Every structure is written in C-alpha cells, then in structure tokens.
Amino acid sequence: MAQDELNVRKAIADIELIRRVLDQADHKTDTADLFGVTLTANITLQSLALISATFLAAFELFSGDALTELLMLGGQSPELRLAGIGIIASILAGLVILLYFVIWRAAQHSGEEFNSYVVRNFRYARLLSYLSDLMMKFGAIALVMLAGHPEWIAPLLLAFTGDYLVQGRLFTLPTRMAVILGAFCIGVGFFQFIVGLEQLLVPLIVFSVIACVSTGRLIRLRRQQNHSAA
C-alpha cells in the first residue's frame, strides 16, 4: 500500500515537472526564432494589419456605422453585392501581394532562397496552404453576400480572427494565449450571430486589440535584443 502511494506521488511529481517544462517552452519558443530581418518583417506585417484595422474601426465609429450600412445596402441590391465581392477580392489580392513582398524582401536581406525562408520563418505563409485557407474564407464571405445575408459578415470575421489565432497565423502570441483568445473570438462571433448584431465595429476592434498586443510584444522583443547587443 505504501509502495502504491509512493508511486502515485512520483507520478504526480512527474506530471507537474512536465507541465512546468511545457509552460516554459510555451513562453520561450513563440519568439525564439525571431531576430534581425525576420523580426523586422513580422513587425512590419503586423503593424500594417494593426494600422488598417484601427483605421477602419475609427472610420466606422466616427461615421456612425457607415461601413455596416453600406454592407447592408449590398444585401438588397445584386449589383452592389457583386461590386462588394469584387472590392473585397481586390483588397485581399493587394494584401497578399504586400505580404509576400515584405517576406521576399526579408529573404533577400537574409541572402536566403525565398521558399526556404518562408518554410523556416513564416510557415503559415506557405503559398498553397495560405492561399487555400484565404480562398476558403473569401468563398464563405462571397456566398454569404450572394445569399443576401450581409449581417452574417461580422460574426464570420470574428470567427476568422479566432481561426487565425488558433492556427498561429499572422499574430505572434504564446500558444496558450492564442488558443484562449481564439476561442474567445469564436464565442463572441457566435454570440453576435445569435443575437443578430450586424455591426462591423466589433470584429474590427477585437482584431485591432489583438494586433496591438502581438505587435507590442515584438517591438519589446526587438528593444531587448538591441539592449543585449549594446
């Protein structure tokens, strides 16, 4: 009996040790490979995402939900729906080009072949997986608009933000924090869908806050690296 109790205590101690190691790894590995040009590229990409989302959120806030009203009008007119889908497609194409341009420039500065650099430093941006994921999200938004339900766009955007967090795309956050925030975004999106809230301000603010936290962590990391180098 005493031997069984000793074995149980030893197993509990082993589990606690593993948990501590995983906690330490969770806090260290999310930014362990970020330095130099790669760190700068991540800061640039996330800063651009933060500026864009913040600008749209501010415009929506101070214009009295103008973006949401325009989206709702699109649900009543087939011509406006098609125009809206075309505008979204153009914006996404521009963002993808910008994303890969920044990564390409970083690869050039590192003196590394582009594909190898992407696989090593931006695994989420691997061409086929990233474009496939983006096309699926664009297809969902296009179908919702064509079906005449623009009020579903805002919950979808929250769900997409949560999905990006869980997959570790774009944002640079500890795994545990990313999963918790991802679940929160998906939950808020589901709530917004259930109660029928159509305002785009909610997903824009949520995205801006998350981007701000992620970008802030990277900027702080660069300052620490510069201080260490000095």
Side-chain angles (χ1 to χ4, degrees), residues 116-194:
S116 300
Y117 184 81
V118 170
V119 170
R120 190 166 64 84
N121 298 291
F122 292 89
R123 279 174 286 185
Y124 71 82
R126 283 179 294 185
L127 197 60
L128 290 178
S129 64
Y130 184 76
L131 291 182
S132 174
D133 180 76
L134 196 62
M135 289 302 296
M136 289 293 292
K137 288 178 170 56
F138 170 72
I141 290 177
L143 288 175
V144 165
M145 292 184 67
L146 290 173
H149 290 286
E151 68 276 9
W152 295 351
I153 299 295
L156 268 180
L157 292 177
L158 276 167
F160 293 163
T161 301
D163 180 59
Y164 263 41
L165 285 162
V166 172
Q167 291 190 58
R169 295 180 183 270
L170 183 61
F171 306 110
T172 310
L173 297 170
T175 303
R176 179 176 299 177
M177 180 187 295
V179 171
I180 292 174
L181 287 175
F184 170 78
C185 289
I186 294 172
V188 173
F190 183 73
F191 173 79
Q192 192 172 9
F193 172 77
I194 292 297

Side-chain angles (χ1 to χ4, degrees), residues 3 7 11 32 39 45-46 49 113 117-118 125-126 140 156 173-174 192-193 212 218:
Q3 184 64 35
N7 291 337
L39 177 57
L45 291 173
Q46 295 188 34
E113 195 268 334
Y117 184 81
V118 170
R126 283 179 294 185
L156 268 180
L173 297 170
Q192 192 172 9
F193 172 77
C212 183
L218 294 181

Side-chain angles (χ1 to χ4, degrees), residues 14-26:
D14 290 341
I15 292 173
E16 179 64 19
L17 177 61
I18 293 172
R19 187 186 67 80
R20 289 178 181 177
V21 171
L22 289 175
D23 285 344
Q24 293 174 359
D26 182 48

Side-chain angles (χ1 to χ4, degrees), residues 7-230:
N7 291 337
V8 170
R9 289 181 178 178
K10 187 176 180 180
I12 293 174
D14 290 341
I15 292 173
E16 179 64 19
L17 177 61
I18 293 172
R19 187 186 67 80
R20 289 178 181 177
V21 171
L22 289 175
D23 285 344
Q24 293 174 359
D26 182 48
H27 289 291
K28 291 180 180 179
T29 58
D30 64 303
T31 56
D33 297 328
L34 293 178
F35 53 87
V37 175
T38 301
L39 177 57
T40 301
N42 274 278
I43 292 175
T44 301
L45 291 173
Q46 295 188 34
S47 296
L48 289 172
L50 172 60
I51 292 170
S52 301
T54 303
F55 172 78
L56 291 175
F59 179 80
E60 179 78 348
L61 179 63
F62 294 110
S63 65
D65 297 334
L67 293 175
T68 300
E69 291 181 6
L70 184 62
L71 190 64
M72 294 305 109
L73 286 175
Q76 303 171 9
S77 169
E79 292 78 11
L80 284 177
R81 289 180 208 166
L82 294 176
I85 293 172
I87 292 172
I88 293 173
S90 300
I91 293 173
L92 287 179
L95 292 175
V96 170
I97 292 172
L98 181 61
L99 168 71
Y100 284 105
F101 175 76
V102 172
I103 297 176
W104 175 77
R105 288 293 295 170
Q108 292 288 305
H109 282 291
S110 299
E112 191 172 345
E113 195 268 334
F114 177 75
N115 290 331
S116 300
Y117 184 81
V118 170
V119 170
R120 190 166 64 84
N121 298 291
F122 292 89
R123 279 174 286 185
Y124 71 82
R126 283 179 294 185
L127 197 60
L128 290 178
S129 64
Y130 184 76
L131 291 182
S132 174
D133 180 76
L134 196 62
M135 289 302 296
M136 289 293 292
K137 288 178 170 56
F138 170 72
I141 290 177
L143 288 175
V144 165
M145 292 184 67
L146 290 173
H149 290 286
E151 68 276 9
W152 295 351
I153 299 295
L156 268 180
L157 292 177
L158 276 167
F160 293 163
T161 301
D163 180 59
Y164 263 41
L165 285 162
V166 172
Q167 291 190 58
R169 295 180 183 270
L170 183 61
F171 306 110
T172 310
L173 297 170
T175 303
R176 179 176 299 177
M177 180 187 295
V179 171
I180 292 174
L181 287 175
F184 170 78
C185 289
I186 294 172
V188 173
F190 183 73
F191 173 79
Q192 192 172 9
F193 172 77
I194 292 297
V195 300
L197 291 176
E198 59 195 28
Q199 282 75 14
L200 292 172
L201 187 61
V202 177
L204 288 173
I205 289 178
V206 170
F207 186 94
S208 299
V209 170
I210 294 171
C212 183
V213 172
S214 183
T215 306
R217 292 183 74 249
L218 294 181
I219 293 174
R220 186 169 65 250
L221 175 63
R222 183 165 65 177
R223 288 175 179 172
Q224 291 173 353
Q225 291 180 359
N226 291 338
H227 180 73
S228 299

